[in-house]
Amino acid sequence: AQTVTQSQPEMSVQEAETVTLSCTYDTSESDYYLFWYKQPPSRQMILVIRQEAYKQQNATENRFSVNFQKAAKSFSLKISDSQLGDAAMYFCAYSHPNFGNEKLTFGTGTRLTIIP
Amino acid sequence: DGGITQSPKYLFRKEGQNVTLSCEQNLNHDAMYWYRQDPGQGLRLIYYSQIVNDFQKGDIAEGYSVSREKKESFPLTVTSAQKNPTAFYLCASTLQTGSVTEAFFGQGTRLTVV
């Protein structure tokens, strides 16, 4: 079974600084996808960024980027120029292509606080 | 606008009662999922459905039941057999393409047993 581990229950960062959230996973599959989801106080799950395992290039979405280390099974999220609106729970998630069942396995989350 | 609608946002249940949480999507997605969220435990899969009239148990299905009579709807019933039902419940859907695509989530239902 696949597992996803987030070892940082809470993180804080000064506004405009950079922060990195850690995630490790375990799988025996070679083809899979990794995601970072953001859950603000509204509790709506919002996709931040996704990475396909077959791609060597790290995904980037504006201020958000990942460091994907496939051999180490590590998938960290870097947030640059942190903004107050970035304050939220962040969940790392894994999914394996399985036609009709792309269920997600989630980590336990990291609560990110932005210090003004 | 396309999306997933969960209702109600807040739900209170007396012990021993069954209660049904609604999930409707107009994204024309094939697969739908129910997750439970507890503090410090992330999201855990309760049930999922790939097509109409078919569904499978997830990791924590005991005390829950579902139906999928229409592609757009995937209601979750929390039965009296669920020993600790107080939690936040999220419904999600994905488009069945053979590769992994983004999961879309509803806004959730907070269930409290009183």
Side-chain angles (χ1 to χ4, degrees), chain A residues 69-82:
Chain A
Q69 301 290 327
K70 191 171 184 178
K73 296 182 179 176
S74 170
F75 182 61
S76 61
L77 174 70
K78 185 172 84 170
I79 306 175
S80 303
D81 185 26
S82 297

Side-chain angles (χ1 to χ4, degrees), chain B residues 82-99:
Chain B
Q82 169 50 235
K83 292 182 173 25
N84 185 20
T86 294
F88 187 67
Y89 293 87
L90 281 161
C91 180
S93 70
T94 57
L95 184 62
Q96 189 170 315
T97 63
S99 64

